[in-house]
Amino acid sequence: MAKHTVTLIPGDGIGTETTEAMQKVLAAAGADIEWEVALAGAGVMEEYGTPLPESTIEAVKRNKVAIKGPITTPVGTGFRSVNVALRKTLDLYVCLRPVFSIPGAGGRYNDVDLVIVRENSEDLYAGVEFAEGTQEAADLIEFCEKAGAGAIRPDSGISIKPISITGTQNIVRYAFDYAVAQGRKKVTAVHKANIMKHSDGLFLREARKVAEEYPQIEFDDKIVDAFCMNMVIDPSQFDVIVFPNLYGDIASDLAAGMVGGLGIAPGANIGKDYAVFEAVHGSAPDIAGQNKANPTAEILSAAMMLDHLGEQECAARIRKAVREVYEEGKWLTGDIRWATGSSEPACSCTEFTDALIRALG
Ligand code: ATP
């Protein structure tokens, strides 16, 4: 295996525990990686005066590939979310989240195998917001009324939902290119175009146009509420699913819940120049520092990173070992014991990691 240099951002909360577990598993799997550790989050505020130091962004740019733990955004730092800021700064416009059943992980379905492709830079997540009672909110309310767009109560807070042609074409094209490259058969676009005609309507219209460029891939669309119902009734009807930002965020947790929960849901943020891999879950402050976290999501995110680095064999070894540990069912963390309704004692993050390393032989 070739040597790779990767930026590691341990993050905070359970991030320090899950990323340490991930490093141990990659070493046991024979991945030849030099880790360049870069810091972000609440813990670095005092030293750097910001939760996202410039040196951390530079480290990702230098190595082009990074893996991170979750980052809690400290209140009053000028950041709505450090994670969102990192995605914006590096133009990581794709959020890629494969969702698959792992037997023994407590999922309600055994046959889930789909991929969520979430737009990562626009929509209500763009952070264009006006607090209630401000002059800006009052001006906007007046503007909307004058433009005949409708009355807004004067005591409203306002969040703007921008969805662009460029952003939509980029994400939908990524979804189709991914489907072609991975031998997948169908792309579904999810929206609420019947109500939000100029944002979701644009998303659907552009998605249909891009779909015409890929006649070999089946295309359909679903209104987001119907999508949720269909997903819960029969997830096997979905293959690659492309979402605007907010619906993709919500659908990611829905899908994770169907296969066993956030503890096993991996993900990646991908742009034209850089890729940052990270679990779907947040910093889980309720269990942080207690050696209770399930590191599977971080480890499977690392397997995605190995695929990206061209190390598919090593990635496959790790996925196989994960399946073996879950199938054996002896060493499972608390979230999975809960999801499976088991009264067996939960193992620690470290015990799970050791079991996985044994499975890797
Ligand atoms: P964010 O807003 O950053 O997504 P959140 O507070 O909404 O974060 P998470 O931190 O992702 O949510 O997790 C919600 C709960 O799920 C946690 O409090 C924890 O109990 C559980 N959880 C999440 N990830 C894990 C994990 N890896 N292992 C065990 N439990 C987890």
Side-chain angles (χ1 to χ4, degrees):
M1 174 172 173
K3 191 176 188 78
H4 304 277
T5 306
V6 168
T7 301
L8 170 67
I9 306 171
D12 47 45
I14 58 171
T16 43
E17 299 158 59
T18 57
T19 52
E20 192 186 319
M22 177 277 296
Q23 282 180 283
K24 282 188 196 161
V25 169
L26 262 61
D32 193 2
I33 294 191
E34 190 176 320
W35 301 101
E36 195 182 330
V37 178
L39 302 177
V44 303
M45 269 301 288
E46 206 168 297
E47 193 179 338
Y48 293 89
T50 166
L52 184 57
E54 194 51 40
S55 54
T56 296
I57 293 164
E58 285 309 314
V60 180
K61 286 187 174 168
R62 196 164 44 248
N63 297 319
K64 300 206 171 351
V65 177
I67 184 160
K68 66 182 274 291
I71 297 173
T72 317
T73 306
V75 185
T77 56
F79 283 90
R80 280 189 181 85
S81 158
V82 172
N83 301 302
V84 172
L86 192 64
R87 291 171 199 165
K88 274 194 170 178
T89 310
L90 298 168
D91 195 16
L92 305 171
Y93 68 99
V94 180
C95 180
L96 185 67
R97 292 173 166 176
V99 183
F100 46 88
S101 303
I102 300 176
R108 304 285 188 274
Y109 305 81
N110 303 317
D111 56 350
V112 180
D113 177 20
L114 53 87
V115 181
I116 287 176
V117 179
R118 165 188 169 194
E119 204 287 325
N120 227 0
S121 63
E122 305 195 313
D123 198 354
L124 286 162
Y125 256 80
V128 187
E129 295 195 292
F130 302 95
E132 85 284 359
T134 57
Q135 188 57 49
E136 290 84 354
D139 289 349
L140 199 51
I141 289 168
E142 195 188 329
F143 172 81
C144 290
E145 280 185 19
K146 275 191 185 151
I152 299 173
R153 289 198 178 101
D155 56 350
S156 299
I158 301 175
S159 302
I160 306 266
K161 175 173 166 137
I163 293 197
S164 70
I165 295 176
T166 309
T168 302
Q169 288 186 349
N170 284 344
I171 196 68
V172 177
R173 206 159 269 135
Y174 183 93
F176 274 98
D177 286 340
Y178 181 91
V180 171
Q182 301 296 320
R184 288 186 174 262
K185 305 274 178 283
K186 182 169 129 185
V187 172
T188 303
V190 176
H191 59 87
K192 188 85 185 175
N194 52 335
I195 304 296
M196 282 161 280
K197 299 193 188 329
H198 301 301
S199 47
D200 287 25
L202 180 153
F203 185 85
L204 177 59
R205 187 188 74 216
E206 295 305 315
R208 283 183 173 146
K209 276 192 210 159
V210 172
E212 284 171 15
E213 297 168 23
Y214 299 84
Q216 72 275 41
I217 304 287
E218 190 190 334
F219 173 74
D220 69 358
D221 69 274
K222 285 265 182 297
I223 295 177
V224 63
D225 41 359
F227 162 78
C228 292
M229 184 188 66
N230 277 275
M231 179 80 164
V232 170
I233 290 174
D234 178 17
S236 72
Q237 65 190 290
F238 296 108
D239 194 348
V240 176
I241 319 171
V242 62
F243 297 88
N245 206 336
L246 181 64
Y247 306 147
D249 181 43
I250 297 166
S252 295
D253 277 30
L254 171 74
M258 291 169 67
V259 296
L262 287 171
I264 59 166
N269 302 289
I270 298 170
K272 293 215 160 48
D273 300 315
Y274 314 109
V276 178
F277 296 81
E278 65 174 329
V280 172
H281 63 74
S283 53
D286 54 331
I287 54 165
Q290 298 170 42
N291 201 14
K292 285 182 180 169
N294 184 350
T296 307
E298 192 71 32
I299 291 163
L300 291 175
S301 302
M304 289 175 73
M305 179 184 81
L306 290 169
D307 282 337
H308 178 86
L309 291 169
E311 305 294 350
Q312 285 87 354
E313 238 178 73
C314 190
R317 256 201 313 280
I318 291 172
R319 289 193 188 99
K320 182 167 171 281
V322 166
R323 283 183 185 277
E324 280 171 19
V325 171
Y326 278 90
E327 256 164 29
E328 188 196 19
K330 193 165 169 217
W331 301 101
L332 297 175
T333 47
D335 55 320
I336 300 297
R337 290 285 185 225
W338 179 77
T340 52
S342 159
S343 53
E344 295 283 306
C347 76
S348 65
C349 178
T350 333
E351 284 168 330
F352 175 87
T353 309
D354 290 343
L356 194 47
I357 290 169
R358 284 195 297 276
L360 280 162

